[in-house]
Amino acid sequence: MSKYHYNIEKKETKTNPGVINLTKVKKTETVNGGRKPPKVSLRNLFIQFMNKQEEFNKRQEQFNKRQEEFNKTVIDTFKRNNLK
């Protein structure tokens, strides 16, 4: 399929004033055959979402572990220095 650019020509006649004719001028672009992207099922979308969620949860667990270790070191330093 092709797309064409059209010129608008107005022709006035005695019986029908203002008749509009469209004439093809040039080919501007081609279309890729009207192919549609493949359909994605809701199941596949849900599986992708769950995989991303699992990755996020793993990163969050690692962050929490590092935070706990940091908190332990801070509490230990407070105890050593007799701070409350």
Side-chain angles (χ1 to χ4, degrees):
M1 294 186 102
S2 302
K3 292 186 178 180
Y4 288 91
H5 174 71
Y6 291 93
N7 267 352
I8 298 173
E9 296 178 356
K10 286 188 178 181
K11 292 185 179 179
E12 294 187 13
T13 60
K14 293 180 182 177
T15 57
N16 196 358
V19 174
I20 298 174
N21 287 335
L22 298 177
T23 56
K24 290 182 182 178
V25 176
K26 65 177 181 176
K27 196 177 198 179
T28 56
E29 63 184 71
T30 57
V31 181
N32 62 356
R35 294 186 198 135
K36 294 181 181 177
K39 292 183 180 180
V40 180
S41 68
L42 290 177
R43 180 178 184 272
N44 289 340
L45 287 175
F46 183 72
I47 290 172
Q48 289 173 359
F49 171 76
M50 291 304 292
N51 290 339
K52 289 179 183 177
Q53 190 66 36
E54 287 176 1
E55 291 174 9
F56 174 79
N57 291 343
K58 287 178 184 176
R59 288 194 307 265
Q60 191 66 33
E61 286 178 13
Q62 292 171 355
F63 173 78
N64 291 342
K65 286 180 183 178
R66 281 186 265 133
Q67 194 66 34
E68 286 179 17
E69 291 173 2
F70 175 75
N71 290 343
K72 286 179 183 178
T73 58
V74 169
I75 291 172
D76 290 343
T77 55
F78 282 164
K79 286 180 180 178
R80 273 186 289 166
N81 296 330
N82 293 328
L83 300 174
K84 293 182 181 182

